[in-house]
């Protein structure tokens, strides 16, 4: 009885210890042409690493060396799955909580459900096989974990992955959607932040969703941006612009001013000047344009004042004066500038003026501190002058002493004649 | 003559007089008295030429961080209601290990070491 | 009362001998007398270096982590720290310049002739020590420029035939300039070099006392008026010292010595890296020598050449004097002028290029 129990425990253990036979890989890896490729790619696949094999998707019997058995319908061989069937195929496992729990218990299982709501999913259901399915983004046969830096859906690679189709004018022609998103995105602050290593910076999927990918609707733009830019969204939602922008065509909310894919570092050039976005609606000379100009002037003024203070403090610091107190204070000044830029999104000059005023006060205060320090440096020269004065007096005194001492020729010893 | 010598000696004597800040690099600062900070509260102190945030998590547990938000260098603050560190500028939040919980900050806050010596709280840069 | 105290001291110390020495020490007065001041100025500046150096020691910390910050601390936080450090740096440069002037004045007035060979030799060694002070002290603030200048400097030392690599290793305390180098240079700068220098200065001055002041060969020593050293000459010397001090003060206050950036061993060498001006002539010469001269490596040849030159220069009392013990004035003056012209020209070229 006991022996049987031990044997029952040992058998699966032995089976696990030996690498499972995989005739698919064995045969296909020595073949030529496209039919070889999957067998070579599969070693990098996360599914392989978790003990799954070709047969788990393609069906068939991987233990048989006889092709007619291994790839027989009787063994459930399906060959290359139809494109339209791929999402369901993946979902067979990825949609099953029980199954996924064995491998990735924390992974979501609603990808297919989301996919069905996406533009991709809806079109696929309607028979359009050109749209993206699972394998177009995640790759196939060498599917990697999404956190793997080589995965095509890793944040640093995702824009290019989406762009493979969406930047292709030929592919997009029949959908009538633009193809310049990737080009614009590459110029944006978001991509810049991502490239610097901030993986929390948004890629395509952060705003459009991944499995449920679709363009955010007008009402949800502010919500999408606001998921990171919380305070801006809150102020904007209460602002006079919110209802107006929401009615705008071609997407509303934040993108009316900031655009969507090519979001640039915002400057006061957005408020005033030839590239001002405000001027798109507010004609020059109107109260709105004047307010925008006023806001720009405040922001630029505070920015310049803070930079000036910073320069004076740096100069004083490098000259060896103690200005650390003022330098800490200057940090508060910069904070007020940031807050003023935030408050701009109320579009209420009086809201914005509070941090501007506070910032200006700090800029002036730190400027004075820096100037005082620089002035103190000049005191050094005064000290030098005093000491130089004493030195001069002493030199003169010594000279006079020598004159008096040697008045009668004393001190000199004439050569012996 | 004497005056000139005095003008040489004066700087020398002044030089020997220990300066107010006695450390070359600010690696340590006295942040205040233990009783000045209630549990579940924080305060901003000056650490060199940058602000630092001292948090009294509980009666005996203290934490200190660089108070400079890693997003745009605003000064962060402690929020007792959420027991998190919060930046008022763009709503960035950090947990009490300095890690980013939400919002735009790209990097965690630098943590400092806190030591309580008698009734004085001392913050120091970690080696 | 005062007389009694002096008598008491005299009984124990033999003050009268000192007074006698003071009474009898005289300085010849002639057209070249003004050059006698330069030895005194050098001595005075060395005194300034000792005082300011000791003051800096109160705050300086010879570690990679704190070296730069402690110098910045001296410059920013310590009262008059900027002044003390600037004077130390300026005075160091002035000292080397004045020492060179002193040396060439000795050569051009042919004061190296017997019996002053040892005075000459000790002076040459002292000049070498001063350059050593300059080289070791330059690294101590641990800033970017000094770090790389030291790297280049020790590389040149490593180029010495045979023993070079060992010398460089010993100087650096390892394969590269780093934390051990700083500690070593610090030890050299504040302990080893000062001890040797003070001893040698005492020897140098003792010899001057013993042999008296030299008169140039073209002036008949017996026909020259003399001036009592004490107090007449000393008062004049003090006047010059005060002047030097004023110059130092002006330089320090108006052109405070820079601190630069903290050394970063992993940064690429900053552009235009070059040594202190007193090494520029050698630096530029080494740069000009082609990498291969006949079968020798260019740099090796340069370093060897400087070695030969230095030894030859130290042996000036041997080849610059004929059998009768008289200076070969034309030869030596000629060589000296060529040397001055070379140093001036190459220092200038090294500075411009």
């Amino acid at each position: 009885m006991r022996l049987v129990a031990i044997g029952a425990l040992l058998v699966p253990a032995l089976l696990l210890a030996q690498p499972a036979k995989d005739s698919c890989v064995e045969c296909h890896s020595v073949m030529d042409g496209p039919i070889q490729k999957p067998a070579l790619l599969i070693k990098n696949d996360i599914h392989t690493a978790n003990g799954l094999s070709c047969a788990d998707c393609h069906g068939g019997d991987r233990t048989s060396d006889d092709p007619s058995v291994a790839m027989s319908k009787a063994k459930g061989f399906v060959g290359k799955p139809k494109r339209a069937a791929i999402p369901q195929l993946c979902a067979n496992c990825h949609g099953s909580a029980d199954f996924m729990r064995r491998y990735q218990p924390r992974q979501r299982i609603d990808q297919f459900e989301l996919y069905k709501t996406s533009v991709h999913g809806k079109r696929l259901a309607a028979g359009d096989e050109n749209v993206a399915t699972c394998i177009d983004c995640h790759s196939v046969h060498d599917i990697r974990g999404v956190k793997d830096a080589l995965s095509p859906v890793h944040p640093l690679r995702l824009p290019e992955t989406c762009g493979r189709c969406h930047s292709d004018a030929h592919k997009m022609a029949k959908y009538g959607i633009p193809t310049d998103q990737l080009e614009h995105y590459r110029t944006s602050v978001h991509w810049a932040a991502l490239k610097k290593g901030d993986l929390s910076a948004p890629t395509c999927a952060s705003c459009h969703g991944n499995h449920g990918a679709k363009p955010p609707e007008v009402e949800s733009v502010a919500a999408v941006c606001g998921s990171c830019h919380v305070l801006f969204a809150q102020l904007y939602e209460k602002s006079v612009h919110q209802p107006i922008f929401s009615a705008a065509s071609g997407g509303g909310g934040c993108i009316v001013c900031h655009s969507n894919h090519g979001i640039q570092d915002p400057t006061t050039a957005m408020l005033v000047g030839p590239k001002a976005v405000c001027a798109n609606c507010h004609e020059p000379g109107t109260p709105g344009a004047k307010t925008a100009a006023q806001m720009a002037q405040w922001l630029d003024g505070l920015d310049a004042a803070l930079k000036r203070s910073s320069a004076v403090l740096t100069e004083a610091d490098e000259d060896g004066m103690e200005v650390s107190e003022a330098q800490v204070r200057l940090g508060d000044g910069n904070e007020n500038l940031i807050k003023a830029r935030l408050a701009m999104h109320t579009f209420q000059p009086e809201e914005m003026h509070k941090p501007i005023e506070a910032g200006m006060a700090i800029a002036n205060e730190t400027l004075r501190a820096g100037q005082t320090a620089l002035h103190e440096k000049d005191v050094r020269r005064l000290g030098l002058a005093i000491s130089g004065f004493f030195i001069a007096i002493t030199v003169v005194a010594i000279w006079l002493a020598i004159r008096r001492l040697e008045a009668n020729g004393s001190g000199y010893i004439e050569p012996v004649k | 003559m004497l005056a000139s010598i005095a003008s040489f000696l004066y700087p020398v004597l002044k030089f020997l007089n220990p300066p107010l800040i006695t450390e070359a690099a600010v690696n340590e600062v006295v942040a205040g008295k233990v009783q000045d900070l209630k549990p579940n509260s924080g305060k901003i102190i000056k650490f060199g030429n940058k602000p630092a945030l001292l948090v009294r998590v509980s009666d005996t547990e203290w934490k200190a961080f660089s108070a400079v938000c890693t997003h745009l260098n605003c000064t962060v603050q402690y929020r007792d209601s959420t027991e998190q560190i919060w930046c008022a500028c763009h709503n960035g939040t950090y947990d009490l290990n300095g890690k980013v919980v939400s919002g735009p900050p790209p990097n965690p806050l630098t943590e400092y070491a806190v030591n309580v010596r008698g009734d004085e709280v001392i913050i120091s840069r970690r080696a | 009362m005062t007389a009694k105290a002096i008598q008491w001291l005299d009984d124990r110390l033999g003050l009268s001998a000192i007074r006698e020495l003071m009474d009898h020490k005289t300085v010849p007065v002639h057209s070249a007398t003004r050059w006698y001041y330069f030895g005194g100025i050098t001595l005075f500046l060395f005194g300034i270096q000792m005082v300011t150096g000791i003051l800096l020691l109160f705050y300086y910390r010879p570690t990679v982590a704190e070296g730069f910050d402690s110098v910045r601390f001296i410059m920013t936080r310590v009262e008059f720290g900027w002044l003390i450090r600037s004077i130390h740096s300026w005075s160091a440069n002035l000292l080397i310049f004045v020492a060179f002037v002193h040396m060439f004045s000795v050569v051009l007035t042919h004061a190296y002739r017997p019996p002053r060979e040892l005075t000459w030799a000790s002076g040459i060694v002292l000049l070498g020590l001063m350059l050593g002070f300059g080289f070791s002290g330059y690294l101590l603030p641990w800033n970017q420029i000094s770090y790389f200048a030291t790297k280049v400097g020790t590389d040149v030392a490593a180029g010495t035939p045979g023993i070079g690599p060992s010398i460089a290793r010993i100087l650096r305390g390892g394969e590269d300039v780093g934390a051990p180098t700083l500690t070593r240079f610090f030890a050299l700068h504040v302990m080893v070099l000062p001890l040797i220098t003070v001893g040698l200065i005492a020897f140098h001055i003792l010899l001057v006392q013993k042999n008296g002041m030299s008169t140039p060969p073209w002036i008949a020593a017996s026909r020259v008026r003399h001036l009592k050293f004490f107090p007449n000459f000393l008062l004049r010397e003090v006047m010059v010292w005060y002047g030097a001090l004023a110059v130092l003060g002006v330089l320090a206050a108006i052109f405070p010595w820079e601190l630069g950036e903290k050394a970063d061993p992993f940064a690429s060498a900053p552009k235009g890296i070059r040594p202190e001006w007193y090494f520029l002539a050698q630096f530029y010469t080494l740069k000009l020598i082609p990498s291969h001269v006949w079968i020798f490596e260019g740099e090796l040849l340069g370093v060897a050449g400087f070695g030969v030159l230095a030894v030859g220069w130290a042996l000036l009392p041997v080849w610059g004097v004929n059998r009768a013990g008289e200076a070969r004035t034309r030869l030596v003056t000629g060589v000296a002028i060529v040397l001055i012209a070379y140093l001036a020209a190459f220092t200038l070229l090294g500075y411009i290029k």
Side-chain angles (χ1 to χ4, degrees):
Chain A
M1 186 63 214
R2 216 185 228 180
L3 270 176
V4 174
I6 292 172
L9 280 171
L10 270 179
V11 168
L14 282 171
L15 280 175
L16 274 176
Q18 277 180 339
K21 178 178 173 56
D22 198 334
S23 58
C24 318
V25 176
E26 277 169 25
C27 295
H28 279 265
S29 58
V30 295
M31 289 175 171
D32 285 329
I35 208 149
Q36 179 197 29
K37 219 173 137 196
L40 299 181
L41 288 174
I42 197 102
K43 64 175 190 296
N44 292 324
D45 198 294
I46 192 170
H47 298 101
T48 311
N50 282 294
L52 299 174
S53 75
C54 316
D56 291 295
C57 295
H58 294 284
D61 181 2
R62 62 170 168 172
T63 60
S64 169
D65 284 330
D66 180 354
S68 62
V69 176
M71 299 192 287
S72 66
K73 281 240 166 77
K75 295 283 186 185
F77 183 69
V78 292
K80 186 177 178 178
K82 290 196 173 63
R83 270 187 77 76
I86 289 171
Q88 182 59 60
L89 179 64
C90 297
N92 286 345
C93 297
H94 282 275
S96 158
D98 281 336
F99 186 85
M100 287 311 291
R101 196 173 288 135
R102 282 149 56 191
Y103 299 96
Q104 294 279 342
R106 293 186 56 198
Q107 201 172 85
R108 296 173 61 153
I109 50 159
D110 58 353
Q111 295 93 340
F112 185 40
E113 294 308 313
L114 286 168
Y115 180 73
K116 284 189 234 169
T117 71
S118 74
V119 176
H120 295 144
K122 282 179 183 158
R123 284 194 181 273
L124 188 73
D128 181 355
E129 295 213 342
N130 288 315
V131 297
T133 66
C134 314
I135 62 167
D136 297 293
C137 300
H138 290 277
S139 172
V140 66
H141 301 133
D142 62 341
I143 302 171
R144 294 165 188 269
V146 295
K147 285 189 177 145
D148 188 325
L150 292 177
S151 163
V153 293
H154 182 269
L156 281 168
R157 292 176 185 268
L158 184 65
E160 209 170 329
T161 301
C162 298
R164 255 203 351 256
C165 296
H166 282 276
S167 299
D168 188 329
H170 182 67
K171 278 186 185 160
M172 291 300 128
K174 64 177 157 195
Y175 304 110
I177 56 177
T179 51
D180 56 1
Q181 300 95 330
L182 179 62
E183 190 190 324
H184 283 156
Y185 176 73
R186 293 267 198 231
T187 69
S188 72
V189 283
H190 289 145
W191 175 244
L194 199 64
K195 261 202 309 193
K196 269 198 300 187
D198 181 1
L199 295 186
S200 67
T203 63
C204 317
S206 315
C207 301
H208 294 279
N210 41 17
H211 302 107
K214 63 197 274 192
E217 271 136 19
V218 172
E219 283 72 33
S220 55
V221 167
V224 165
C225 301
S227 64
C228 292
H229 302 275
V230 184
L231 299 177
F232 293 92
Q234 281 172 4
L235 295 181
Y236 166 76
E237 288 294 346
K238 282 184 264 171
S239 77
V240 290
H241 282 141
Q242 196 272 337
I244 303 165
F245 287 2
S246 294
S249 60
C254 315
I255 66 173
V256 172
C257 299
H258 292 277
S259 90
N260 45 13
H261 299 110
I263 295 168
Q264 302 298 311
D265 205 3
T267 65
T268 47
M270 290 176 70
L271 292 169
V272 73
K275 289 184 177 167
V277 291
C278 304
N280 292 345
C281 303
H282 299 280
E283 300 275 330
T286 57
K290 280 180 189 158
T291 304
Q294 170 72 77
M295 286 175 160
Q297 194 201 332
W298 279 341
L299 289 172
D300 286 337
L302 179 55
D303 191 33
L306 289 169
K307 284 210 176 87
R308 183 150 166 254
S309 299
S310 171
V312 171
L313 287 177
T314 307
E315 190 189 339
D317 187 44
E318 280 169 0
D319 283 341
M321 312 308 296
E322 159 63 52
V323 286
S324 68
E325 198 86 43
Q327 280 172 324
V328 172
R329 193 85 181 101
L330 190 65
D332 295 341
N334 285 317
E335 188 169 325
N336 273 297
L337 176 62
I338 289 165
K339 283 181 174 158
R341 292 170 60 148
L342 170 64
M344 202 229 79
H345 294 83
T346 61
F347 307 104
Q348 301 288 334
E350 55 274 22
E351 282 299 318
M352 192 179 158
H353 195 237
K354 277 182 253 170
I356 291 281
E357 220 171 344
M360 280 310 260
I362 292 169
N364 289 331
E365 175 194 325
T366 50
L367 182 68
R368 270 199 303 278
Q371 282 167 339
T372 310
L374 284 181
H375 177 71
E376 259 168 48
K377 199 189 72 177
D378 294 337
V379 174
R380 288 175 176 183
R381 299 199 177 163
L382 181 72
L384 176 78
I386 293 171
S387 142
F389 174 69
F390 287 132
I391 287 176
I393 288 186
T394 311
V395 169
V396 170
I398 294 173
W399 185 67
L400 288 176
I402 294 172
R403 284 272 306 257
R404 209 171 54 200
L405 193 69
E406 296 169 2
N408 52 1
S410 90
Y412 286 98
I413 301 151
E414 295 301 325
V416 189
K417 290 276 158 66
Chain B
M1 179 94 182
L2 279 177
S4 70
I5 290 172
S7 77
F8 307 149
L9 282 181
Y10 177 72
V12 170
L13 290 176
K14 277 289 197 181
F15 182 85
L16 293 176
N17 181 35
L20 289 173
I21 305 148
T22 50
E23 276 298 310
V26 182
N27 286 319
E28 202 180 272
V29 72
V30 177
K33 299 262 188 271
V34 168
Q35 60 269 21
D36 291 348
L37 206 58
K38 291 193 297 285
N40 191 23
S41 66
K43 74 166 178 179
I44 296 289
I45 50 159
K46 182 174 162 283
F47 193 37
N49 55 6
K50 297 263 163 59
L53 173 68
L54 174 68
V55 179
R56 187 173 188 180
V57 183
S58 66
D59 269 337
T60 53
E61 198 188 354
W62 298 79
K63 291 264 185 185
F65 303 92
S66 156
V68 181
C69 181
T70 56
H71 179 222
L72 288 174
N73 302 335
C74 290
T75 303
V76 297
Q77 51 188 284
Y78 180 71
R79 275 191 139 179
D80 51 4
S81 57
T82 57
E83 298 191 9
Q84 278 179 334
I85 297 162
W86 179 66
C87 178
C89 285
H90 296 125
N91 205 35
T93 49
Y94 303 86
D95 67 14
L96 284 175
N97 290 310
K99 295 216 172 65
V100 183
V101 175
S102 68
N107 295 308
L109 294 173
T110 311
E111 188 166 359
Y112 297 141
V114 187
N115 287 295
V116 180
R117 224 177 275 162
D119 66 343
E120 269 185 347
V121 186
I122 291 134
I123 295 180
S124 54
R125 233 176 268 280
R126 291 182 161 180
Chain C
M1 180 63 207
T2 328
K4 237 181 171 179
I6 289 172
Q7 184 60 45
W8 187 87
L9 279 173
D10 193 10
D11 290 345
R12 280 147 189 87
L13 296 172
L15 284 179
S16 50
I18 297 170
R19 190 176 305 152
E20 194 145 312
L21 192 78
M22 290 197 321
D23 276 347
H24 284 106
K25 186 173 167 58
T26 59
V27 178
V29 183
H30 49 74
S31 58
T33 297
R34 66 179 75 97
W35 298 109
Y36 292 147
Y37 289 102
F38 281 86
I41 301 173
T42 315
L43 182 66
F44 172 70
L45 289 176
F46 186 73
I48 297 269
Q49 287 306 84
M50 297 251 283
V51 173
T52 52
I54 289 169
L55 287 173
L56 291 173
L57 265 182
F58 278 86
Y59 294 103
Y60 178 71
R61 297 179 184 185
T63 63
V64 168
E66 290 188 300
F68 179 84
D69 285 326
S70 66
V71 176
R72 189 174 37 201
F73 179 69
I74 290 169
M75 299 278 288
T76 59
R77 303 281 184 262
V78 182
E79 282 186 88
F80 291 103
W82 59 274
L83 180 70
I84 303 288
R85 185 195 170 228
S86 290
I87 286 187
H88 193 74
S89 304
W90 273 114
S91 170
N93 284 277
L94 230 54
L95 168 59
I96 285 174
F97 180 74
V98 173
F100 267 105
V101 173
H102 179 50
M103 178 182 80
F104 281 112
S105 75
V106 163
V107 175
L108 292 173
T109 58
H110 306 279
Y112 50 85
R113 34 189 227 284
R116 298 188 177 83
E117 299 96 326
L118 284 177
T119 323
W120 168 260
S122 61
I124 292 294
V125 176
L126 277 170
L127 185 67
L129 288 168
M130 292 303 134
L131 294 177
F133 268 117
F135 187 60
S136 57
Y138 197 50
L139 179 69
L140 299 187
W142 200 247
N143 58 31
Q144 196 74 340
I145 294 168
S146 72
Y147 174 82
F148 281 100
T150 306
K151 237 177 142 111
V152 173
T154 48
D155 273 345
V156 171
T160 317
I163 49 167
S166 331
I167 291 181
R169 254 187 73 81
I170 289 170
L171 273 177
R172 291 170 178 170
E175 291 306 328
D176 209 346
V177 177
T181 322
L182 183 59
T183 328
R184 269 160 200 250
F185 274 39
F186 179 68
L188 278 178
H189 191 81
V190 306
M191 205 65 225
V192 180
L193 293 177
L195 276 180
I196 302 174
T197 306
V198 167
L200 215 53
I201 287 178
F203 178 68
H204 194 74
I205 291 173
L206 193 74
L207 286 177
V208 173
Q209 297 313 308
K210 172 123 183 23
N211 297 322
M213 310 297 283
S214 154
T215 358
W218 56 83
I219 292 169
S222 55
R223 294 227 200 113
V224 164
R225 277 204 308 168
H226 279 245
L227 181 64
K228 286 183 76 171
F229 180 80
F230 188 87
N232 305 56
F233 189 80
L234 186 65
L235 280 173
R236 286 171 169 81
E237 185 83 65
V238 169
M239 257 169 69
V240 177
W241 290 357
Y242 261 84
L245 203 58
V247 170
L248 275 181
V250 168
L251 287 173
I254 297 176
F255 308 106
W257 205 262
E258 276 178 24
L259 181 58
E261 249 177 279
K262 188 170 180 167
D264 176 6
F266 301 110
S268 49
K271 261 193 193 158
I273 188 83
R274 59 173 165 226
E276 290 266 72
W277 62 268
Y278 38 84
F279 292 117
L280 267 180
Q282 291 99 303
F283 178 71
Y284 190 64
T285 311
L286 285 178
K287 249 169 86 171
L288 277 192
I289 297 177
S291 64
H292 283 282
V293 181
W294 192 39
I295 53 163
F296 300 107
E297 208 177 303
E299 188 168 301
L300 206 125
L301 207 70
V303 173
F306 286 129
V308 170
L309 210 68
V311 172
W313 193 239
L315 291 176
L316 174 64
V318 177
W319 55 265
V321 171
N322 62 20
R323 284 177 186 221
E326 288 159 358
R328 294 187 166 115
T329 46
R330 275 197 199 165
L331 171 72
V332 174
T333 307
V335 170
I337 286 170
V338 169
L339 196 61
I340 292 172
Y342 158 71
L343 286 178
F346 273 63
T347 303
L348 206 67
L349 281 173
Y351 192 77
I352 295 165
K353 294 282 163 101

